[in-house]
Amino acid sequence: MELRQLAYFVAVAEEGHFTRAAQRMHVAQPAISRQVIQLERELGERLLSRDPAGVALTDAGAAFLPHARAALAAAEAGRDALASLRGLLTGRLSIGTVLPAPEGLTAALGDYRDRHPGVELRLREDHTGPLIDSLARGELDFAFVGLGPRATVPAGLAARRILSEPVVAAMRGDHPLASRRSVTVASLRDHAMVTLPEESGQFHMIEAAAASAGFTPRIVARSSDLRLLIELAAAGIGVALVPRSAARPTRNLAVLEVTRPKLRRHLFLLWKPQTLSPAARAWLETDPR
């Protein structure tokens, strides 16, 4: 069993297609197919089911996949550790973040890159749930995620709070509530709302706040893009509850404080302390705030 075979298998499993996996690994498709078949022969199990539309993991493949990923990660960590002994930090640093990202993230990445030019940076934008899942699977080194005030850090992960900011209500300037200085969650009962998708921590916070006020929010539009949500609010589609850093009042947009309850966005940096590579440990020395 070779590391190359494991890398090819992981690529095919993640891409769901031999051709896309070959493109990702920069090899010919027949070569990647032969290596995966050889791996299956050595293991004595079919790892993938094949059909014209693509491939899927068998039960054996699903069981083997996390171990293949762990072996590749261990090999990479070993190479990075040897490189760090020579005084040259190499490898890859993978960071995921919700939007809006921490204000100082790009500056922190620039500082990190200046000190460790041999490390490849990989960035990903997503919602809290998918980012935590990717972190648990070892696909990310760190994740900036939003957690509610009563949320607990998932088992096996360490956390550092990066910021806490109010959530505000953004709406068109002529909205019936726009003349107020603030709004309660209960006052939004009869008004249309635009929100992030259901897998976002922000949506779960809004849903819980509405439930405590005795109603289910009337969602008329969803978007993963906070800027688009604010534009929808300015167009009168619905009220958007967003972090204060994402919304600024304009001639067409009113931004109001939310009270009873006051809602806050809590942003945390999460990581798995037991699997940190040298490149990841170096990131912990960088303050993204």
Side-chain angles (χ1 to χ4, degrees):
M1 187 184 306
E2 301 177 2
L3 288 176
R4 177 179 57 178
Q5 294 172 333
L6 297 180
Y8 289 172
F9 164 66
V10 170
V12 173
E14 291 178 350
E15 296 294 336
H17 200 279
F18 275 99
T19 300
R20 289 196 296 270
Q23 292 170 346
R24 167 173 156 181
M25 301 301 294
H26 305 291
V27 297
Q29 189 273 334
I32 203 170
S33 181
R34 284 195 301 270
Q35 290 297 322
V36 172
I37 291 172
Q38 181 61 33
L39 177 62
E40 290 177 317
R41 288 173 178 167
E42 292 182 16
L43 293 173
E45 295 282 355
R46 287 190 63 192
L47 303 177
L48 301 167
S49 62
R50 299 152 172 89
D51 61 51
V55 298
L57 288 169
T58 63
D59 290 342
F64 184 68
L65 181 60
H67 299 286
R69 285 176 171 148
L72 292 171
E76 184 173 357
R79 288 192 293 268
D80 294 345
L82 293 176
S84 66
L85 290 177
R86 298 193 298 268
L88 177 62
L89 197 60
T90 60
R92 181 173 63 243
L93 181 68
S94 298
I95 298 176
T97 182
V98 294
L99 294 177
E103 186 175 346
L105 178 59
T106 54
L109 288 170
D111 178 62
Y112 181 91
R113 179 69 176 174
D114 288 342
R115 290 185 288 116
H116 308 296
V119 176
E120 176 191 354
L121 300 178
R122 292 189 179 181
L123 303 177
R124 173 181 160 190
E125 300 169 355
D126 212 327
H127 297 294
T128 290
L131 289 175
I132 291 177
D133 291 342
S134 294
L135 188 63
R137 291 194 298 266
E139 298 169 4
L140 295 172
D141 297 306
F142 296 96
F144 291 95
V145 302
L147 296 176
R150 295 183 180 85
T152 57
V153 176
L157 300 182
R160 176 192 295 173
R161 190 162 81 170
I162 301 301
L163 63 84
S164 177
E165 64 175 325
V167 171
V168 296
M171 63 194 72
R172 194 164 69 179
D174 61 357
H175 190 279
L177 300 176
S179 60
R180 302 185 182 187
R181 298 187 61 180
S182 64
V183 293
T184 65
V185 173
S187 68
L188 300 175
R189 176 191 304 267
D190 299 322
H191 297 280
M193 300 180 66
V194 295
T195 72
L196 293 170
E198 292 182 354
E199 60 267 29
S200 72
Q202 184 89 355
F203 172 76
H204 289 298
M205 178 184 65
I206 294 169
E207 188 178 46
S212 68
F215 72 98
T216 299
R218 182 160 61 92
I219 309 300
V220 298
R222 299 181 190 272
S223 173
S224 298
D225 189 336
L226 278 172
R227 291 170 297 182
L228 180 56
L229 286 183
I230 294 169
E231 291 176 4
L232 291 173
I237 305 300
V239 176
L241 295 181
V242 297
R244 184 170 63 185
S245 62
R248 295 289 184 268
T250 66
R251 183 170 57 86
N252 297 322
L253 184 73
V255 179
L256 283 64
E257 179 185 0
V258 178
T259 62
R260 288 186 290 168
K262 291 187 175 182
L263 304 180
R264 299 192 69 85
R265 176 203 190 210
H266 301 279
L267 191 69
F268 286 81
L269 176 66
L270 302 184
W271 69 93
K272 292 177 70 173
Q274 66 272 27
T275 59
L276 286 181
S277 67
R281 285 195 295 270
W283 173 253
L284 283 179
E285 302 171 3
T286 303
D287 187 351
R289 292 171 292 181

